[in-house]
Amino acid sequence: MIGFDLGSEAGRERARLAMENFGIAFFESNMATGLVVVSPNAFAMFGLPVPPHMPVERTGFWECYHPEDLAAARATFEADLRGERHRDIYCERVRIIRQTDRAIRHIEFLGRMFGPPGARTHIVGMLRDVTDLAEAEARRSLLVREVNHRANNTLAVVQSLVRLTQAADVPDYKRRLEGRILSLARTQTLVDQTAQRPAAFALLIASELAAYRDHITLEADEVPDLVAPAVQPVAMILYEMATNAAKHGALAAPQGQVRIAARPEGSEVVLRWVEQGGAPLTTPPTRKGTGMAVIQSQIRRLGGTQRLEWSPDGLRAELRFPLSGWAGQPPDDQSKP
């Protein structure tokens, strides 16, 4: 059978075990005739009917190759026939389109070429479906890229916090910086959770503003959940706004209150922050502090805008974020106001 010494019972049993338990198919190509003898399980891999007789034309298998892989696979095959890689081993992994269900599968070939380079006579080898292995490799590669991306993003955020944080002395600087980094750490937990599913805005409020829960009123029943890339910027915005309110606004007074309302409006998510009950505000701040610089940088990161109103009752802020960046929704799938 197809180029192997299967004259013994042990040899036939080894071939049967390889085909049944490891999904290995065998082939022998005659380079002079262009015909190939293939074990029946190979046809199932390609979604082709088992022919009534052997050998068969190789072209039936070539026609199953994925269009994006066909030219490169043919070039590699021809190069090996000419001996350009200085070896007698033919080894390649290609994508095919299985004819029964049009599923994309990954097939790996391993064979030995007989005859001198440029005048090959036969190729004897085996093939197997390695789709599960190829997809696992792709997931690992994606995970590595994502870890590197997130690490770089986190380092950039920390560097920004170090640069933007201002204080009167070293202990004050340490306290402020530690607070911001702890907020970043809490947010990272939510980012990990949203790798598989979106994060509810209310959950973010509970995480970042837990210390002020008795002073917060939240209206966000209609706001969509945040996708992972939006969690960290929005969390930092909330943390900085709460910190500013605790230092200068409503959260600095026992009776102070902050009303947070968020809802989709057209192609945007609008977040309104209204402070009441703090010390009366006579004039707007004359200097932009660290917290406001962080807030503005994160708003820009999401492609959003802000409008601030310094009323005597306290700060009123309106922040607008593209719905696509907040919830990952394309323009034709946006919530209605």
Side-chain angles (χ1 to χ4, degrees), residues 62 64-77 90 92-97 104-107 109 134:
W62 282 111
C64 296
Y65 277 39
H66 194 289
E68 294 177 2
D69 292 359
L70 179 59
R74 281 191 174 277
T76 299
F77 182 66
Y90 173 66
E92 187 167 23
R93 181 185 294 182
V94 299
R95 290 178 299 168
I96 66 161
I97 299 177
I104 296 176
R105 310 296 294 178
H106 296 255
I107 304 296
F109 295 85

Side-chain angles (χ1 to χ4, degrees), residues 3-197:
F4 290 88
D5 181 9
L6 300 178
S8 68
E9 183 177 349
R12 288 192 294 271
E13 182 63 13
R14 282 193 292 270
R16 185 187 68 80
L17 289 173
M19 288 188 288
E20 292 184 0
N21 295 293
F22 298 101
I24 295 175
F26 299 100
F27 71 89
E28 177 182 339
S29 292
N30 185 317
M31 305 312 297
T33 64
L35 300 177
V36 59
V37 178
V38 186
S39 57
N41 58 333
F43 293 93
M45 291 184 195
F46 285 76
L48 296 171
V50 178
H53 57 80
M54 293 285 183
V56 296
E57 294 280 350
R58 288 199 312 266
T59 53
F61 293 98
W62 282 111
E63 290 171 354
C64 296
Y65 277 39
H66 194 289
E68 294 177 2
D69 292 359
L70 179 59
R74 281 191 174 277
T76 299
F77 182 66
E78 296 296 335
D80 277 341
L81 293 181
R82 294 190 297 267
E84 293 179 4
R85 290 199 282 185
H86 308 289
R87 63 180 192 176
D88 293 328
I89 297 297
Y90 173 66
C91 181
E92 187 167 23
R93 181 185 294 182
V94 299
R95 290 178 299 168
I96 66 161
I97 299 177
R98 192 165 55 195
Q99 299 303 292
T100 48
D101 56 5
R102 310 303 294 173
I104 296 176
R105 310 296 294 178
H106 296 255
I107 304 296
E108 188 172 73
F109 295 85
L110 176 62
R112 179 173 292 278
M113 297 175 287
F114 294 87
R120 304 293 193 185
T121 60
H122 291 77
I123 302 178
V124 175
M126 58 186 183
L127 60 149
R128 59 176 182 151
D129 188 319
V130 293
T131 303
D132 291 344
L133 176 61
E135 291 178 348
E137 291 173 350
R139 287 193 296 270
R140 284 196 297 270
S141 177
L142 179 63
L143 178 61
V144 169
R145 291 198 302 272
E146 176 64 18
V147 168
N148 289 337
H149 177 69
R150 285 172 55 178
N152 289 335
N153 279 353
T154 301
L155 287 174
V157 170
V158 171
Q159 289 173 340
S160 175
L161 295 180
V162 170
R163 184 177 64 254
L164 292 174
T165 300
Q166 300 175 1
D169 50 39
V170 172
D172 186 33
Y173 177 85
K174 180 180 177 181
R175 178 182 58 79
R176 295 187 183 195
L177 184 59
E178 284 181 347
R180 291 188 168 105
I181 292 177
L182 286 174
S183 171
L184 186 63
R186 289 194 302 270
T187 305
Q188 195 62 40
T189 301
L190 281 179
V191 172
D192 293 337
Q193 295 171 353
T194 57
Q196 298 299 327
R197 59 184 184 275

Side-chain angles (χ1 to χ4, degrees), residues 220-234:
D221 293 339
E222 299 179 9
V223 70
D225 294 343
L226 296 109
V227 291
V231 171
Q232 189 179 86
V234 174

